[in-house]
Amino acid sequence: SIDFPSSSTASVSTPYIRKKNAGFHALTLFATLRSRVLTQISSLNLFPTSPTIRSEPEQTECCGQCLLTQKTEERSIITLSIGKIHIHETVKQCKICKKIHVPEEPSQLAPQYCNFGFDVIVCVGKAIFQCHRTENAVAAELRQQNVLISKREVSYLAKKFICYLAVAHQEKTLEIRELIENNGGSCLHFDGTNDGGGPHLIVAVDEQEKLVLGSIKAPSESTESVSNLLERVKCDYGNPVALVLDMSKSNLSAAQNV
């Protein structure tokens, strides 16, 4: 057993342990109880059957008239926090201007025409590209979290993650440029790599912030390919204050041309 001192400083004092190694046994017991609690509150146990939620547009009037129900749709989305949920979606229309009003909540959970939520897409992307997990391993881990997914779907969501990441990066171009300018300009490091006889991946990175400013896949690391990348980086983020590159002929020529 574990006894705490009866003094006024009991809340901050180290507990007294009577039995030999009782503290270690207590930690083991705590870990076991914690594991049981986490198992009991997992989405698989909390939602053995898929819940159904209803969603309607927030706006109820348009052109001074109440909106009319145009149609109702049913959609299923699989999220990381709950698992599979059914959404009963009501679409309404103004009888005067014919404007369509749709609820916003479903589009905040998952992309249109996609059965998996944004949280699942992010989880898959990080597991594949940051943790270097296999598609089978990711699918198995997600199934334990009540996300029923196949290896093929994991592969598709990983590609979707990259597309969304590229779009998000592009939308932040002005903010990234402002950050670089506040740092006094970028120290641009660019280089290419390839896997055997495959295409070359050429990447340009800001060395100060460790931000990828641009990348292209090209048949070869030619002057033309490198120049195209540098032109795009220059257009988006301005002229760098310094360059880091190897001494290959194509890289030197591209740097001088741009």
Side-chain angles (χ1 to χ4, degrees):
S1 62
I2 301 178
D3 287 345
F4 289 89
S6 58
S7 64
S8 59
T9 60
S11 59
V12 296
S13 299
T14 303
Y16 297 121
I17 301 174
R18 288 181 176 176
K19 292 183 66 176
K20 186 176 181 181
N21 295 326
F24 293 100
H25 293 299
L27 292 176
T28 303
L29 177 61
F30 173 76
T32 303
L33 293 175
R34 179 178 179 273
S35 178
R36 290 179 183 175
V37 170
L38 291 176
T39 300
Q40 291 172 358
I41 65 173
S42 69
S43 58
L44 186 62
N45 290 317
L46 289 175
F47 303 99
T49 58
S50 303
T52 299
I53 60 176
R54 301 185 181 275
S55 181
E56 295 186 1
E58 291 289 338
Q59 190 170 343
T60 58
E61 294 185 356
C62 184
C63 299
Q65 301 289 327
C66 292
L67 295 175
L68 301 177
T69 299
Q70 187 206 41
K71 62 178 178 179
T72 58
E73 297 177 329
E74 290 190 0
R75 178 185 180 190
S76 295
I77 296 176
I78 301 175
T79 66
L80 198 62
S81 56
I82 295 177
K84 189 174 186 178
I85 58 176
H86 301 294
I87 299 178
H88 187 89
E89 188 174 346
T90 301
V91 179
K92 296 192 174 184
Q93 184 178 27
C94 175
K95 63 181 179 180
I96 306 296
C97 67
K98 306 302 181 184
K99 182 180 179 181
I100 303 296
H101 297 263
V102 298
E104 298 179 356
E105 289 80 4
S107 62
Q108 296 173 353
L109 288 177
Q112 192 175 16
Y113 310 120
C114 182
N115 295 329
F116 293 95
F118 287 112
D119 54 356
V120 177
I121 296 175
V122 171
C123 179
V124 168
K126 287 184 174 181
I128 295 292
F129 298 109
Q130 284 189 333
C131 301
H132 310 292
R133 308 300 301 276
T134 64
E135 294 167 353
N136 283 330
V138 175
E141 290 176 3
L142 287 174
R143 282 194 288 268
Q144 293 178 357
Q145 300 181 59
N146 205 21
V147 176
L148 303 181
I149 189 171
S150 66
K151 173 186 173 182
R152 185 175 180 181
E153 288 170 325
V154 168
S155 176
Y156 174 73
L157 292 185
K159 295 172 184 175
K160 207 174 186 73
F161 172 82
I162 288 296
C163 291
Y164 283 137
L165 186 62
V167 171
H169 191 284
Q170 215 166 24
E171 290 178 346
K172 295 292 183 180
T173 297
L174 293 179
E175 294 181 32
I176 295 174
R177 179 165 185 159
E178 183 179 357
L179 174 65
I180 290 173
E181 290 175 351
N182 290 338
N183 287 339
S186 68
C187 177
L188 189 66
H189 181 191
F190 64 93
D191 201 359
T193 184
N194 77 317
D195 185 12
H200 288 246
L201 176 64
I202 310 172
V203 182
V205 178
D206 173 46
E207 282 293 339
Q208 289 181 279
E209 293 293 335
K210 302 300 181 184
L211 287 173
V212 176
L213 302 184
S215 63
I216 60 170
K217 186 179 285 188
S220 64
E221 197 174 348
S222 63
T223 300
E224 181 182 2
S225 299
V226 178
S227 295
N228 290 337
L229 172 62
L230 295 182
E231 284 284 3
R232 195 173 68 189
V233 171
K234 177 182 176 181
C235 178
D236 289 341
Y237 306 105
N239 276 318
V241 295
L243 292 174
V244 180
L245 65 155
D246 61 35
M247 302 302 290
S248 68
K249 185 178 179 179
S250 59
N251 283 350
L252 291 173
S253 298
Q256 291 172 355
N257 293 340
V258 177

